Amino acid sequence: MNQNSNLSHIHSKTNMNLATTTIQRINYLLSEQPSIRSFQWSPIMWGSTWSFLIISISSYIVTSTTLHLLLLVLIRRGRPVPLGPIPALHSLAMSLISVIIFLGMLSSAVAEIRDTRWIWRRSKTPLQWLLCFPIGTRPSGRVFFWSYAFYLSRFMHVLRTFFTILRRRNLSFFQLFNHSILICMSFLWLEFSQSFQVIAILLMTLVFALVYAYRFWTEIGLRRARFPFVMNCHLVFLGCNLACHIGVLLLHFYKGGCNGMGAWFFNSVLNVFVLLVFLRSYIKTYYLIRENYFNVSASSISEVEDFVTSQTSNKPLSKKEM
């Protein structure tokens, strides 16, 4: 019995050491690599210039519109273009990328608070630092590395627009606007070292991980949730986002100022517009749920695009069609 107990203790200790080593290794990969610690946003980096931002967003809008018009001319309206497993693979990839950025940003934020708290511990708490960077903060270090990774992932995110055009034969102004704004906002976070971006990226990547995992689930033919899952995820996000924006504003006026408030104000105006459009679609969806739940769960309205419901006019499926 004593020998078995010793073996069990040794086995348990070995597992704990292995778990500790694994966590340390993951933490090193996410926040302690030299390339992450020494990151600095500069004009020589890919996608870091204003001209690139303007050209890329313009190209996205022009390409999407051109593709939509070509399909209207060449293919009978309403006939979808088969894409096979591509949308499912895209959703899986985006979910995994979102998880990695979420973990990387979380690990990096903890490391930055640990390494720099001695500078500002008398004037700020960790939560205040997450919401409000000190004035003079430069876009360098761990959290800005993951902010840059999030910015790059937005270009992969816009592929959903082309999937919508090809499969649903529909192009929404709000979809174009929303995706363009996400690219613009993530660029401004880096360019102006904007406060609030750490929490914003944590919230968004968490939502994207859940939403894209759910989309992958449904793309491979598994059962949908019996409520508008995507829309409710975004509603929770927008509520948290609004609360954090209020927190930033209060900290700016009562705690000595926050960095990048010009960019924050611009983003806030855009977020208000997105919130109003989303709430309009949310109310419309729940009105339709009261009329006929199954019609709504099968329609494109329940599959709201990443922050704004796509204002499509797709006809819901009937119960017989389901």
Side-chain angles (χ1 to χ4, degrees), residues 84-85 87-89 167 213-225:
L89 293 175
R167 295 201 301 181
Y214 173 73
R215 283 173 174 158
F216 173 73
W217 176 273
T218 57
E219 288 283 356
I220 62 176
L222 298 176
R223 187 180 181 86
R224 291 175 180 269

Side-chain angles (χ1 to χ4, degrees), residues 226-241:
R226 293 186 62 84
F227 60 93
F229 178 83
V230 174
M231 181 169 281
N232 282 315
C233 283
H234 290 309
L235 181 65
V236 172
F237 163 76
L238 289 171
C240 294
N241 188 52

Side-chain angles (χ1 to χ4, degrees), residues 44-148:
I44 63 173
M45 303 187 69
W46 189 86
S48 62
T49 61
W50 284 95
S51 59
F52 177 89
L53 177 69
I54 295 170
I55 292 172
S56 60
I57 292 177
S58 300
S59 299
Y60 161 63
I61 294 173
V62 171
T63 304
S64 301
T65 305
T66 302
L67 177 62
H68 178 61
L69 294 176
L70 283 176
L71 289 177
L72 289 178
V73 173
L74 299 177
I75 302 177
R76 181 170 59 87
R77 183 173 180 81
R79 183 179 178 183
V81 177
L83 296 176
I86 295 176
L89 293 175
H90 176 263
S91 294
L92 178 61
M94 287 302 300
S95 181
L96 293 176
I97 290 171
S98 298
V99 169
I100 292 171
I101 295 175
F102 174 84
L103 294 175
M105 180 60 82
L106 182 63
S107 176
S108 295
V110 170
E112 289 291 340
I113 290 172
R114 179 197 64 214
D115 293 349
T116 62
R117 190 175 180 181
W118 63 273
I119 300 174
W120 44 263
R121 62 184 176 182
R122 293 183 179 180
S123 59
K124 288 182 182 293
T125 64
L127 178 60
Q128 290 173 341
W129 179 84
L130 291 172
L131 288 171
C132 178
F133 288 154
I135 292 177
T137 298
R138 301 298 180 187
S140 61
R142 301 178 181 93
V143 297
F144 290 99
F145 172 88
W146 290 108
S147 182
Y148 180 58

